[in-house]
Amino acid sequence: DRPDPPRDLWVSGVTPTSLSVTWRPGFDGGLPQSFLVSARGPGAPPPPTTLLAPGPALTLGGLRPATPYDVTVRARNARGESAAAVIRAVTSGNGEGAAGSGEETGAGHAEAG
């Protein structure tokens, strides 16, 4: 089966140009799984591609300071991809170590590829 969506997303680190996110894997569908991670911000270009994470954590770099991003995580195995789990996080401004909101917005948000 396709894997279940990741759950319990949280922001584990913030800099002016990066966000670190961590999550708990859902059921893997009985097959090895990896995770697809991307970030989108209003008026800010996303990273050039969706990144592949082998485990339940990833740091997204090349982001704009003091900008909110919707970070999307999906699980993937040989049978397909899960629904997306999304969290809103904000990069810090001017070298400050401010944390993201840490709010998970749900696992049912679809994302065009």
Side-chain angles (χ1 to χ4, degrees):
D1 289 339
R2 291 182 354 176
D4 288 343
R7 51 193 169 82
D8 300 331
L9 273 68
W10 70 92
V11 177
S12 52
V14 176
T15 73
T17 58
S18 70
L19 294 169
S20 297
V21 293
T22 306
W23 58 90
R24 296 190 202 294
F27 175 64
D28 62 11
L31 299 167
Q33 70 179 340
S34 56
F35 301 92
L36 302 168
V37 183
S38 63
R40 299 209 174 159
T49 59
T50 298
L51 301 172
L52 181 65
L58 185 73
T59 298
L60 296 156
L63 305 177
R64 290 186 179 172
T67 304
Y69 285 90
D70 288 327
V71 179
T72 302
V73 182
R74 289 176 296 190
R76 179 174 76 171
N77 69 16
R79 299 235 170 117
E81 294 178 4
S82 72
V86 180
I87 188 171
R88 170 66 57 103
V90 181
T91 52
S92 59
N94 301 328
E96 297 169 11
S101 69
E103 262 185 55
E104 184 174 352
T105 58
H109 289 78
E111 174 186 290

